Amino acid sequence: MPENITTYIPDNAVRKGYRTLFMDMADEVKSSRWLVWQLFLGDFKAIYKQSIFGILWILFVPLLTLGTFILLNNAGIFKAGNIPLPYPLFALLGMAFWQLFSTGLTATTNSLVSAGTMIRKINFPREALVVASMGQAVVAFLIQIVAVVVLFMAYRVTPFWTTLLVPLTLIPILLLTLGIGFILSLANGVARDIGRGTPVILTFLMLATPILYSTPKGGILGTLTRYNPLYHLVTVPRDLIIVGRIDSPYGYSLSVLLSVILFFACWIVFHLTEKRIAERI
Amino acid sequence: MDNDIAIKVENVSKKFCKSLKRSMFYGISDIGKNALGLSSHSESLRNGEFWAVDDVSFEVRKGETLGIIGPNGSGKSTLLKMLNGIFWPDKGRITVKGKVGALIEIGAGFHPMLTGRENIYVNAAILGMTKKEVDEKFDDIVKFADIGDFLDSPVKFYSSGMYVRLGFAIAVHCEPEILLVDEILSVGDRNFQKKSIERMKEIISNDKSVIFVSHNLLAVRALCQRAIWLDNNKMRAEGSADGVVSKYEQFMDSVIANADANKLAALDQRQSGLIKFTDVQILDENGIRTKNIEFKKYACIRAWYNATERISDPNFRFLIRNPEGQPNNIIAPSGVYQNSLVSHIEPGEGYVDCIIEKIPLMPGNYFVRLVLTSIDYLVFYTRTLYDVPFSISYPTGQDKDTKPFLIHDSQVWIPAKIEYGRQERDKTVW
């Protein structure tokens, strides 16, 4: 019979070195895929079971935000700038990609805290909770895409062939969200301020990022936008659909690189410190 | 590590912080240090911290069942969580050989909205089972849980018994080599507890090691070969389950019998007042009230009570003191064994007899004091307000120079029978 001996010592993960750490992480990816799926299914079913509108709730928030901006735009209070297609299409598309990030970040930030008792009682890979909570954002995204397709047909707009590349551009968005989510979920476990602060900051970021308006060329916002990785990650997929090209490939590549590095760095930090959370949550 | 050993715990300590705010900042500092790959220097206490588990060492062999007993807050659950790898020790080393499964707070991962069927899958995944394993064992789990038609209802509609059975069923089907069990048998009435103990006995096969944390001293006696007793976060005793439980009972007896209000505050007193002792009598073999029993002869201590509610877990303790001995030193508590238990008390008046066939006390004067707690010592019901005196006399015709002992053979005397009678008290007996 193969013996698997486990030892626990103070500062366990740190003292055992990086080799063990990476092997552990690889093991967990392999062994917890089904766990992630089950956690996701469980959450998903639980959220929509005792609800009349069920999954339709996912559409309400973006549609309401959108409606507000369409009204503002219509009244001339708010200028979306020079956009190549009907505003509702432009905005809904942008919102879909933005929400993948924002809903995902909110969900991951709260993932550990809302699993509270489980974390204090059962030993299982905590990464699974964070990754599974991302699932809600993916579902929301897919539903919004269905709405986008319907809208495209209604306006009789044909997307560019580069739309086929869009699935690839989702990967860096997901990695960035997960990376930041790993850290924020830990931080929220220690201090609840993080969970409260995240939506506030996200609202600010949404307004500061050209999602509901066209890319500003000048001013402070123009400069900020150029250095805003979220702008690159979120607007490139939209540009691929509506204009068929990437405006600043250099900025985009850097943003992708950043999200990949951030993801791995944050995952390592999470893995090194996840046990500390059970003590504090 | 010795091949035969499944769990080795060496000088393990764990600290916690009482203040939430401080704990928060310590958490940030520890996580920060670990994230940078630095040690958190956990071996020293910071301001406001205390050792929740302090220098505990023990071993569990393969196939052995170890009980951990002790009052609330003594560090039992923290110790179990470290064994489970939920958090790391701050000092010492834990070595575990084999797959660990935990029955810690059954149903901790249940989603109230999901059905039993859905929860089986989610919970089993959390406990580390693969899809293939769950598919194979699904029918067994359902059968074991015995929840009938409720399989497809949300678990929030389950009775607490069904909830526990389902959680129990999932956990035991993970087939761990080492099973950690925390307080799961304290749910439900004594009947359910008995059933769970039977189940546990079945599950505990020869090659499985079990660590069993419980207040249920009967269960520890029934299931465990060895036990440790944690008190105030330290190890107080280690040894055979019987021996350690007896020591613990004696200690608790003396705490309760002698306690001032301060000490009793550690126990739940909300239920005191449900029952009162109205009289304590010493009876001889003819059932006649007496104050004197002959050495090694039949004695019966009859305690009359008046209960206003049903008591489902009574633990009658007949504590005998010797006035010449140290004040309040209990020399002979009655050991509690399953066969000498009064299973429950119905409301109304009645009596409980503690029958000793051959009383093992040496001649002299004694007092008896009665205490009624719950079987796990977590609830204090009542105790006699004053001690009832009696004496043991030399048998007629025997030399009076026999060297006096306090106790004839053993420290703990086991009543031949504790009987439970229900009748209107005959006021004329006195």
Side-chain angles (χ1 to χ4, degrees):
Chain A
M1 196 178 76
E3 295 277 13
N4 49 17
I5 297 182
T6 323
T7 56
Y8 300 115
I9 50 175
D11 295 322
N12 206 26
V14 177
R15 288 225 213 143
K16 282 182 180 163
Y18 278 93
R19 217 183 112 86
T20 327
L21 179 79
F22 290 135
M23 268 160 48
D24 271 6
M25 285 165 66
D27 263 2
E28 277 183 7
V29 173
K30 238 193 313 181
S31 63
S32 38
R33 271 177 304 190
W34 191 62
L35 170 60
V36 169
W37 177 241
Q38 286 300 322
L39 284 172
F40 161 70
L41 273 186
D43 278 345
F44 185 71
K45 288 179 190 162
I47 291 174
Y48 298 111
K49 257 193 179 173
Q50 201 171 14
S51 145
I52 296 164
F53 293 107
I55 204 153
L56 286 177
W57 278 107
I58 287 174
L59 283 175
F60 289 171
V61 178
L63 284 183
L64 218 62
T65 318
L66 196 64
T68 316
F69 276 91
I70 292 173
L71 278 179
L72 290 176
N73 196 19
N74 198 270
I77 298 166
F78 162 79
K79 290 192 181 62
N82 188 17
I83 47 172
L85 74 170
Y87 181 70
L89 258 185
F90 173 83
L92 189 64
L93 203 47
M95 279 297 277
F97 292 109
W98 171 257
Q99 287 242 319
L100 185 58
F101 171 73
S102 69
T103 318
L105 198 63
T106 315
T108 46
T109 302
N110 290 309
S111 58
L112 296 188
V113 170
S114 50
T117 24
M118 242 158 65
I119 291 195
R120 270 179 279 122
K121 309 278 179 187
I122 311 174
N123 189 13
F124 63 99
R126 274 64 165 120
E127 280 100 327
L129 281 173
V130 181
V131 178
S133 69
M134 203 48 211
Q136 309 307 329
V138 174
V139 170
F141 173 75
L142 292 177
I143 289 173
Q144 292 187 51
I145 288 301
V146 172
V148 167
V149 171
V150 171
L151 220 56
F152 262 79
M153 291 198 293
Y155 279 99
R156 293 172 194 286
V157 176
T158 325
F160 282 80
W161 70 269
T162 39
T163 307
L164 295 174
L165 297 173
V166 168
L168 277 179
T169 61
L170 297 181
I171 296 171
I173 302 182
L174 291 174
L175 289 183
L176 182 77
T177 316
L178 270 177
I180 304 176
F182 275 139
I183 298 302
L184 292 188
S185 65
L186 277 181
N188 193 29
V190 180
R192 299 292 187 271
D193 309 61
I194 308 296
R196 295 193 167 252
T198 307
V200 180
I201 303 226
L202 279 172
T203 310
F204 165 75
L205 280 178
M206 188 191 85
L207 295 175
T209 309
I211 295 155
L212 295 170
Y213 50 90
S214 64
T215 312
K217 294 295 174 219
I220 303 170
L221 194 59
T223 319
L224 273 180
T225 302
R226 230 175 304 139
Y227 295 103
N228 179 354
L230 281 170
Y231 158 73
H232 294 289
L233 293 178
V234 172
T235 54
V236 159
R238 176 167 66 186
D239 285 351
L240 285 176
I241 297 172
I242 61 175
V243 292
R245 64 181 141 72
I246 298 174
D247 272 338
S248 53
Y250 187 62
Y252 184 64
S253 316
L254 273 180
S255 304
V256 170
L257 190 67
L258 177 80
S259 64
V260 173
I261 293 171
L262 208 65
F263 169 74
F264 281 103
C266 294
W267 184 18
I268 291 169
V269 168
F270 185 89
H271 200 87
L272 273 175
T273 57
E274 58 176 334
K275 299 281 165 176
R276 292 280 178 200
I277 277 306
E279 298 168 12
R280 310 286 171 192
I281 212 157
Chain B
M1 191 157 92
D2 191 339
N3 218 12
D4 210 24
I5 287 175
I7 299 172
K8 191 171 190 175
V9 174
E10 296 162 273
N11 308 96
V12 162
S13 302
K14 177 80 201 165
K15 60 184 178 182
F16 279 128
C17 182
K18 281 178 198 144
S19 139
L20 195 59
K21 279 267 150 56
R22 277 224 180 92
S23 165
M24 203 172 79
F25 291 117
Y26 291 155
I28 293 170
S29 139
D30 287 348
I31 287 179
K33 281 176 185 160
N34 282 174
L36 296 173
L38 303 172
S39 159
S40 65
H41 294 289
S42 55
E43 66 282 349
S44 53
L45 288 184
R46 289 167 290 195
N47 203 356
E49 286 184 322
F50 67 100
W51 294 111
V53 169
D54 193 357
D55 195 20
V56 169
S57 307
F58 61 87
E59 289 177 350
V60 182
R61 302 188 164 275
K62 278 184 187 156
E64 192 176 53
T65 303
L66 176 88
I68 303 181
I69 57 172
N72 282 332
S74 55
K76 305 186 297 291
S77 298
T78 307
L79 184 58
L80 216 57
K81 282 178 190 169
M82 282 191 279
L83 291 173
N84 197 8
I86 288 177
F87 36 60
W88 307 320
D90 283 325
K91 278 198 281 192
R93 169 192 288 267
I94 296 172
T95 315
V96 178
K97 217 189 284 179
K99 183 181 167 193
V100 178
L103 290 175
I104 298 179
E105 192 142 329
I106 293 285
F110 279 175
H111 260 297
M113 289 288 217
L114 299 187
T115 66
R117 182 188 300 276
E118 289 161 341
N119 265 307
I120 290 178
Y121 275 91
V122 179
N123 212 241
I126 294 170
L127 294 176
M129 284 165 90
T130 62
K131 179 170 168 26
K132 195 165 152 261
E133 281 174 310
V134 187
D135 287 339
E136 277 169 15
K137 290 174 187 163
F138 188 83
D139 293 334
D140 288 342
I141 294 175
V142 173
K143 210 172 134 205
F144 194 112
D146 191 22
I147 48 173
D149 300 340
F150 276 83
L151 181 61
D152 289 308
S153 305
V155 296
K156 67 174 177 177
F157 295 141
Y158 282 25
S159 72
S160 54
M162 290 160 67
Y163 202 84
V164 173
R165 282 204 302 275
L166 184 63
F168 197 71
I170 300 168
V172 297
H173 280 85
C174 292
E175 293 183 2
E177 288 143 71
I178 296 166
L179 190 61
L180 309 175
V181 185
D182 190 3
E183 272 313 342
I184 52 153
L185 298 181
S186 53
V187 208
D189 55 10
R190 195 175 281 176
N191 240 342
F192 177 71
Q193 289 185 11
K194 251 184 195 161
K195 249 171 66 186
S196 330
I197 294 178
E198 289 310 308
R199 288 282 206 210
M200 285 286 299
K201 273 186 177 163
E202 286 169 30
I203 296 156
I204 301 173
S205 61
N206 289 333
D207 57 337
K208 207 165 276 184
S209 309
V210 181
I211 292 196
F212 183 65
V213 167
S214 186
H215 285 291
N216 188 332
L217 303 174
L218 293 177
V220 172
R221 274 210 163 100
L223 292 171
C224 306
Q225 287 105 46
R226 289 196 314 119
I228 61 172
W229 166 15
L230 292 186
D231 187 30
N232 226 344
N233 317 319
K234 287 193 172 74
M235 292 244 299
R236 175 119 175 199
E238 182 189 11
S240 76
D242 244 356
V244 173
V245 171
S246 294
K247 273 186 200 160
Y248 179 65
E249 283 174 340
Q250 281 184 48
F251 169 75
M252 289 306 287
D253 283 343
S254 66
V255 166
I256 294 166
N258 303 325
D260 44 35
N262 266 346
K263 277 187 183 159
L264 275 181
L267 299 164
D268 186 353
Q269 293 192 66
R270 275 170 294 182
Q271 282 164 302
S272 66
L274 295 186
I275 184 168
K276 273 200 167 57
F277 288 119
T278 49
D279 195 11
V280 178
Q281 304 168 338
I282 314 287
L283 306 176
D284 67 13
E285 54 212 314
N286 302 317
I288 309 287
R289 188 153 190 187
T290 178
K291 294 213 156 194
N292 182 47
I293 300 285
E294 217 169 83
F295 179 59
K296 276 200 165 179
K297 282 284 164 60
Y298 174 98
C300 170
I301 306 169
R302 174 167 293 183
W304 289 90
Y305 63 79
N306 191 351
T308 55
E309 267 174 56
R310 186 179 194 273
I311 290 172
S312 59
D313 54 352
N315 176 24
F316 284 97
R317 311 286 292 171
F318 295 81
L319 312 172
I320 295 185
R321 292 195 303 123
N322 166 300
E324 288 107 49
Q326 285 202 325
N328 291 329
N329 191 15
I330 307 297
I331 57 167
S334 54
V336 174
Y337 285 85
Q338 212 148 8
N339 56 7
S340 65
L341 272 177
V342 178
S343 66
H344 66 278
I345 296 286
E346 292 292 346
E349 287 206 313
Y351 63 83
V352 171
D353 280 349
C354 173
I355 296 164
I356 310 117
E357 294 292 350
K358 291 175 180 167
I359 195 155
L361 297 167
M362 289 307 284
N365 292 319
Y366 297 93
F367 290 107
V368 62
R369 181 179 285 191
L370 241 100
V371 171
L372 177 60
T373 66
S374 63
I375 204 82
D376 48 19
Y377 283 99
L378 292 180
V379 181
F380 169 75
Y381 289 113
T382 191
R383 66 177 179 190
T384 47
L385 289 176
Y386 53 91
D387 295 353
V388 178
F390 68 98
S391 60
I392 304 286
S393 64
Y394 288 97
T396 27
Q398 199 183 310
D399 183 7
K400 294 203 170 190
D401 283 342
T402 316
K403 204 178 168 197
F405 289 102
L406 289 179
I407 297 280
H408 186 65
D409 12 50
S410 72
Q411 276 288 321
V412 176
W413 52 303
I414 300 151
K417 255 196 279 187
I418 292 187
E419 274 183 355
Y420 167 57
R422 256 187 71 68
Q423 62 183 66
E424 281 298 301
R425 190 178 156 208
D426 183 0
K427 306 274 200 255
T428 59
V429 169
W430 181 237

